[in-house]
Amino acid sequence: MPASRVPAAARRLAGLLVLALALSPLAACARGGSPDRGRPPGDTPGVGTGPGAEPGAEPGEPPAPDSAVSDWLAYLTLEEKLGQLFWVGLPGTELTDEIRGLLAEGKVGGVIFFGRQGSDPDVLRRLSGELQAAAAARDRATPRLVIAVDHEGGLVQRFGPPFTQWPGAMALGAAGSSAHAEAMGRAMARELLAVGVNMNLAPVADVNNNPANPVIGTRSFGEQPELVARMASAVAAGLQAEGVSAVAKHFPGHGDTAVDSHLDLPVIGHARERLDRVELVPFRAAVGAGIDAVMVAHVVFPAVAGDGRPASLSPDVVTGLLKGELGYAGVAMTDALDGMAAITDTYGVEEGLVLAVEAGADVVLVTESFGRQQALYRRLLQAVEEGRIPESRIDDAVGRVLALKERRGLLPPLPGAARGEGAEDAPSSNSVETAHPAGAVGAAEHQALADRIGADALTLVRNAHLPLALSPGEQVVVIGPAYARGLDGADGVVTALGAGIKALHANTVEVALEWRPEPDAIAHARSLAEGAAAVVYAVADGHETPAHLALIRELIAAGKPVIVVGLGMPYELTAAPEIETYIAAYGFRDANLKGVGPLLFGRTPARGRLPVSIPGLYPAGHGLDLP
């Protein structure tokens, strides 16, 4: 919505955000993953852009006097209440008989979209509409659905083109601009609402301070807690100012693990003092700024969880730390319980569901168990009926979910008798029909913003060759990423990287290599590079790939100017210290690549600063200016 229409609730929350950012050391001084697996002081989101949109109060505040949450709690049956906690996935682009049955009985409160739903805006809009219609087609009043998706940008963005393909969080961290972060959140929200999605499972609030982390990496804004807090809060502010719920994840922090919770159960053994000083900083900021939901990780924190359980199943973490100590009154949700070995191989999905709700989870995600959704819902209901989960725990959880839905316009009017005398019907917002128009998806101004963020993130870490000064007869050979969006290659370039360089130096040719290239592809790249005056070599996490490292070293040893562009975590220098010129781009989307050409030829400044340290070489905050 336009800034002039941001409600009082959003303005109050923006004040909290500005205060939180003002207390951050980086608020005044902000400068300085692989495909398979500059800024002004005090740069903060402005008043009127903070999390929280009409109608209703923000998390952490008492419900508004006209809130309908208590009436809804009195109206819903136990089975319907439990349904508000139970959020599921779909196997494709059609409603299954199983999901139709759950919706017909009011046993689902939310649906999570994935890549398997595709990226066609018309299909997504139709699917969202069908889901909402099926939820509403009962003879009893039913809250509308939360429809969510992982839309972080970078490595984790379920919707591909024509949706704007955003740089990831680490690029935002390198650019360091809260204004960029908030604007990106707003643009994301407009595109999501255009297809009926009203929750973004973002931002990632993990502090990525472990170079061996296999699952977070460039999904994090960086290794400095204050930077992560500032940027995550700004993205959330943008999302929620436009009416899309934001979700801070993965509480209390997944950034310092060397284990992927999709594959095993990570353990973070730091003392509580360290958690307070590092991991919890961004989450405290998000809670203080009124974020709608917090996703709890499947990670064990012995310093907090005396029961030894992963955070998502531990009362010590969910109820004690998040809701008690941090005072969080919004929705605590689990990460997926049925698609991650941290739960499935240790507790099992059925027991995991019960333990999560017992621990204080207000929403449980069951995204992969097609054909078992009804049975899993019944297992939860059985745990309540047997007294293992008190109904008071269900009422607390449902009250939080209903409050979120009320803020986002997802509570239709109750029948008159159920809502008391004199109650007036209230219009519902966030429907597919009243959301942003289809033209919001991939809008030109959104792509321009993505390109600006990507260019501002480019970090000149080491420099011996820039700016390039080549004669027209001298050739630039670009070794680009085959996993980036491909061009037709008719003019000798195959990615946005090559195209951006060729636009400034016509004698440019590009060859693309996979993340793990075949020997014949390496040989072809080598033969092209032999006649080059300069080689631009772009690679994601090349420090982990012997074939790339060997070719980089060979080209440098031949005496050629080699400019290495890092498209993942910026650690190539740790494996190949002989690299003389290194640019960190933090991703392989077009927006990460387009700005490289202008930087190479000195047409634009090098604005980015490292959001993570390069072990043994450069600290976070390092970055060179062009001479």
Side-chain angles (χ1 to χ4, degrees):
M1 69 183 68
S4 61
R5 294 176 53 200
V6 175
R11 292 195 297 271
R12 291 195 299 273
L13 279 169
L16 286 173
L17 176 59
V18 171
L19 176 61
L21 296 178
L23 295 175
S24 163
L26 288 186
C29 181
R31 189 167 183 171
S34 76
D36 292 327
R37 315 163 284 170
R39 28 258 62 20
D43 179 19
T44 62
V47 173
T49 62
E54 87 271 19
E58 306 88 6
E61 290 189 1
D66 58 349
S67 172
V69 169
S70 60
D71 290 338
W72 271 95
L73 279 171
Y75 174 79
L76 295 174
T77 66
L78 173 62
E79 290 79 3
E80 291 168 338
K81 289 177 181 178
L82 196 61
Q84 292 302 302
L85 279 64
F86 194 68
W87 296 10
V88 300
L90 290 171
T93 58
E94 303 294 334
L95 273 63
T96 63
D97 290 342
E98 182 176 46
I99 190 67
R100 288 186 186 277
L102 287 166
L103 291 170
E105 297 172 354
K107 294 178 179 177
V108 169
V111 176
I112 316 299
F113 282 175
F114 286 87
R116 55 183 177 252
Q117 273 68 60
S119 301
D120 185 324
D122 292 334
V123 171
L124 293 168
R125 193 177 302 111
R126 186 262 304 163
L127 182 57
S128 297
E130 289 179 357
L131 284 164
Q132 296 290 9
R138 307 179 66 226
D139 57 6
R140 284 177 55 78
T142 304
R144 297 183 70 241
L145 298 170
V146 169
I147 299 180
V149 69
D150 288 287
H151 204 72
E152 302 169 12
L155 286 174
V156 180
Q157 183 173 321
R158 306 300 186 193
F159 297 156
F163 288 82
T164 302
Q165 300 301 285
W166 297 99
M170 191 160 286
L172 273 171
S177 168
S178 301
H180 280 350
E182 185 196 352
M184 189 175 99
R186 283 181 172 272
M188 281 180 161
R190 290 191 287 267
E191 297 196 18
L192 294 177
L193 286 174
V195 296
V197 174
N198 48 43
M199 174 178 278
N200 189 358
L201 301 175
V204 171
D206 301 315
V207 179
N208 195 82
N209 44 21
N210 187 337
N213 193 311
V215 65
I216 302 300
T218 57
R219 297 171 64 193
S220 168
F221 294 102
E223 71 177 39
Q224 298 169 313
E226 295 82 6
L227 173 66
V228 176
R230 183 165 64 88
M231 302 304 287
S233 293
V235 170
L239 286 166
Q240 295 192 176
E242 294 287 340
V244 169
S245 291
V247 181
K249 63 186 185 185
H250 308 80
F251 184 84
H254 206 323
D256 195 6
T257 68
V259 173
D260 184 346
S261 55
H262 292 83
L263 306 176
D264 205 345
L265 182 59
V267 177
I268 295 181
H270 294 304
R272 177 57 196 272
E273 179 277 332
R274 149 63 192 257
L275 298 179
D276 282 328
R277 180 168 44 86
V278 178
E279 279 78 9
L280 292 179
V281 171
F283 292 101
R284 287 186 187 275
V287 167
I291 199 160
D292 272 6
V294 172
M295 179 181 286
V296 186
H298 304 318
V299 178
V300 177
F301 291 81
V304 180
D307 49 28
R309 295 177 185 171
S312 53
L313 310 185
S314 172
D316 293 339
V317 175
V318 185
T319 298
L321 178 57
L322 178 59
K323 294 182 173 182
E325 187 173 333
L326 271 63
Y328 185 53
V331 171
M333 62 194 304
T334 69
D335 207 338
L337 289 164
D338 58 340
M340 303 179 76
I343 300 299
T344 58
D345 291 356
T346 52
Y347 295 88
V349 181
E350 293 84 355
E351 182 65 8
L353 283 169
V354 176
L355 288 172
V357 177
E358 282 184 320
D362 307 308
V363 165
V364 289
L365 301 190
V366 182
T367 62
E368 312 298 322
S369 298
F370 311 122
R372 298 180 59 208
Q373 293 166 348
Q374 288 273 10
L376 292 172
Y377 170 89
R378 288 194 296 270
R379 177 68 190 96
L380 267 181
L381 180 61
Q382 179 186 16
V384 179
E385 292 174 337
E386 293 173 349
R388 180 172 173 185
I389 302 176
E391 287 195 41
S392 60
R393 169 77 273 274
I394 301 302
D395 283 347
D396 171 65
V398 176
R400 291 166 182 260
V401 173
L402 293 176
L404 181 153
K405 291 189 173 186
E406 186 172 55
R407 283 192 300 279
R408 301 298 160 212
L410 301 176
L411 282 188
L414 278 167
R419 56 194 166 97
E421 293 298 325
E424 298 180 2
D425 287 352
S428 176
S429 64
N430 273 0
S431 70
V432 178
E433 294 76 18
T434 61
H436 288 277
V441 174
E445 60 268 27
H446 297 171
Q447 187 59 60
L449 173 63
D451 293 346
R452 187 159 60 251
I453 293 169
D456 286 353
L458 293 174
T459 306
L460 186 58
V461 179
R462 184 180 285 177
N463 183 28
H465 305 110
L466 304 184
L468 293 176
L470 303 175
S471 68
E474 292 180 302
Q475 187 178 68
V476 175
V477 168
V478 179
I479 300 175
Y483 35 85
R485 183 183 69 90
L487 306 179
D488 60 20
D491 58 353
V493 295
V494 292
T495 74
L497 175 65
I501 297 172
K502 190 177 184 69
L504 299 174
H505 188 75
N507 194 357
T508 295
V509 64
E510 181 180 22
V511 59
L513 294 181
E514 297 288 353
W515 185 58
R516 293 189 183 278
E518 296 294 331
D520 59 344
I522 288 284
H524 177 55
R526 181 188 297 113
S527 66
L528 279 179
E530 285 176 355
V535 176
V536 179
Y537 200 128
V539 61
D541 298 338
H543 56 289
E544 298 178 349
T545 314
H548 283 297
L549 281 177
L551 182 55
I552 289 170
R553 286 170 172 152
E554 182 179 340
L555 295 174
I556 292 172
K560 294 185 179 298
V562 177
I563 298 96
V564 176
V565 182
L567 307 180
M569 295 298 288
Y571 298 144
E572 279 80 13
L573 290 173
T574 63
E578 60 266 48
I579 294 172
E580 293 182 315
T581 303
Y582 184 83
I583 299 169
Y586 314 102
F588 54 88
R589 303 290 188 193
D590 282 8
N592 301 103
L593 302 177
K594 288 179 180 179
V596 173
L599 177 59
L600 294 179
F601 291 98
R603 303 295 182 87
T604 57
R607 296 188 178 94
R609 296 297 181 263
L610 285 174
V612 293
S613 57
I614 300 178
L617 293 173
Y618 300 105
H622 168 79
L624 302 176
D625 296 323
L626 280 173

